[in-house]
Amino acid sequence: MTPLHAPGPTRISVVTPVYQGERTLPVLAEEIAALATTQTSPEGHEWVVAEWLLVFDNGPDGSADVMASLAEAYPFVRPIWLSRNFGQHAATLAGMASSGGDWIVTLDEDGQHDPRDIGVFIDVAMREQAQLVYAEPTNPAPHGALRNLTSRGAKWFFSIFLAGGSVTTFQSYRLVLGELGRSVAAYAGAGVYLDVALGWVVGRHAHAPVALRSEGEERRSGYNLRRLLSHFWRLVLSSGTRALRLVSVLGAIFAVAGVVFAIYVVIATALGAQTPVGWTSTMVVALLGTGAILLSLGVIAEYLGVAVGMAMGRPPYLITSDPQNGPLARRPGRR
C-alpha cells in the first residue's frame, strides 16, 4: 500500500480491533476526531491522525452497524471486515497490514486509553530513537486485583524465562514505526503473539508514561478466564523454543533428583538406617515423574500443532468486504 507520508506533520494510523465496541466506539470517535487536525506534542513535534482503522472481529453486539455509521460520519474512519472471529492480535495485524501512516498506534476499543497521549509516545520515540513505544501505566489497571496480579505475573514470567529479560513490560497501547508494523503483519504466522513478533525485528523499544481510564460499568470485559489462559499460552508458544528448553531443564532436574535419591537410599541402607522406601514414596515419585513426562509431551504437541497449522497455510486473518453490502446482504428482487 502506498504510504501516507508527505511533507508536514507526522501521520498516524490508529488501529482498533473491534469485538464489542457498540457503546464505546462513538465516544472514542469524538476523541479521535479532535486529533484529525495537526497537533503539537509536549516537546514540539507536529502530528495528525490520518486514518482510524476499525477491524471488525465478529463480536456479539452491534459493533458492525456502529462502524458503518462512523465511516459515513468521519472521513478518516476506515472499516475493515474479517471473515470470522480471529482474536485481538490477529485483528490488530490485519489493521496494521492495511495501514499507511508514518507510525501505527494500536488502541483498544474500551476507552481505557486516552488517544491524546499519542503525542507523548511520539516524543519518547523521537527522543530515544525507538522504533516501538509501549504505554507504561502510572496507575493500576481498572480490573480486579486477581486479574492485575496474574497479568503482572504472566508478563514477569515471559520477561525472565521466555524473552531472556529483553522485554520488561508491554501493553496493547503501543506506537510502532509504520513500515516495521506492516512488515510484521505481512509475515506473522497464525496464532502468533503480536508483541513476540515485534520483538523479533525491533532494534530499540521504549516506554511512555500514561494514565489508565476506567472502562465504564456498561461494558463487560470480553476476556474470561479461558480466554486469558489461551492468551498466555499463545505468548508461550510464540516465544520460540525457549519453552522446550525449560522442558529440558525440568527433565534434567528430575533426573538429578532421581540420582541423588537413589544414592541416598543406597547409603542409608548400607548404614542400616530406616529408608523412606515404600508405597507412599513410590507413588509420589511415580506421580511427579508421570506429570513431568505428560507436561513435556503436551508442550511438544502444542509446538507441533502450531507448525502443522502454518504448514497447511492457515492464515492469521482474512479480510473480506462489508457483509452488509456484499452478496450475503442481497434480498429477493434486489440487484
Side-chain angles (χ1 to χ4, degrees):
M1 184 175 180
T2 302
L4 295 175
H5 179 70
T10 299
R11 301 171 73 85
I12 307 295
S13 295
V14 178
V15 174
T16 299
V18 178
Y19 182 72
Q20 50 179 11
E22 180 180 4
R23 297 182 178 180
T24 56
L25 285 178
V27 177
L28 192 57
E30 294 178 1
E31 294 182 321
I32 293 181
L35 307 176
T37 56
T38 301
Q39 308 292 308
T40 303
S41 70
E43 295 183 10
H45 297 101
E46 291 188 342
W47 60 279
V48 62
V49 172
E51 56 181 355
W52 185 25
L53 299 101
L54 298 175
V55 186
F56 181 61
D57 199 25
N58 292 267
D61 63 0
S63 295
D65 295 332
V66 174
M67 287 172 52
S69 63
L70 291 178
E72 294 180 358
Y74 300 102
F76 57 84
V77 173
R78 290 185 54 203
I80 297 175
W81 312 94
L82 300 186
S83 60
R84 65 169 177 83
N85 174 252
F86 285 91
Q88 180 185 21
H89 284 245
T92 304
L93 287 171
M96 293 169 65
S98 305
S99 68
D102 302 320
W103 292 87
I104 300 171
V105 168
T106 59
L107 179 68
D108 287 346
E109 63 182 9
D110 53 23
Q112 181 181 166
H113 301 114
D114 191 341
R116 292 175 296 181
D117 288 328
I118 294 175
V120 178
F121 281 77
I122 293 175
D123 285 342
V124 172
M126 298 299 183
R127 185 190 326 126
E128 303 190 20
Q129 291 296 287
Q131 300 164 314
L132 173 64
V133 180
Y134 284 111
E136 183 75 49
T138 57
N139 59 314
H143 305 299
L146 178 60
R147 176 171 171 177
N148 289 338
L149 178 62
T150 54
S151 177
R152 289 195 298 269
K155 292 175 180 178
W156 174 84
F157 179 83
F158 172 77
S159 173
I160 299 301
F161 295 103
L162 300 179
S166 60
V167 178
T168 55
T169 183
F170 47 86
Q171 294 282 335
S172 59
Y173 195 16
R174 56 177 85 80
L175 172 78
V176 59
L177 198 61
E179 57 185 2
L180 188 150
R182 284 184 286 274
S183 297
V184 167
Y187 69 69
V192 69
Y193 198 95
L194 175 57
D195 297 293
V196 175
L198 289 172
W200 293 336
V201 296
V202 169
R204 183 177 178 84
H205 72 279
H207 298 87
V210 301
L212 301 179
R213 305 185 298 190
S214 173
E215 296 178 356
E217 299 180 357
E218 296 181 350
R219 185 187 188 279
R220 184 180 180 182
S221 174
Y223 284 95
N224 52 29
L225 179 60
R226 183 183 65 83
R227 281 177 172 268
L228 291 172
L229 290 176
S230 175
H231 210 52
F232 173 71
W233 193 239
R234 186 166 67 251
L235 172 63
V236 172
L237 295 179
S238 299
S239 63
T241 58
R242 289 183 179 273
L244 291 178
R245 294 174 186 173
L246 291 180
V247 168
S248 300
V249 172
L250 179 65
I253 292 175
F254 272 85
V256 172
V259 172
V260 171
F261 183 72
I263 295 174
Y264 166 73
V265 171
V266 171
I267 296 176
T269 302
L271 296 177
Q274 185 70 27
T275 57
V277 178
W279 184 87
T280 302
S281 59
T282 301
M283 287 301 298
V284 169
V285 172
L287 289 174
L288 289 176
T290 303
I293 293 172
L294 292 177
L295 173 63
S296 304
L297 291 176
V299 172
I300 295 172
E302 290 285 353
Y303 273 103
L304 289 176
V306 172
V308 169
M310 295 180 66
M312 295 177 64
R314 178 185 176 186
Y317 57 84
L318 182 64
I319 299 175
T320 63
S321 59
D322 182 355
Q324 297 300 320
N325 294 323
L328 290 175
R330 294 195 175 186
R331 301 291 183 268
R334 178 181 174 185
R335 295 183 180 179

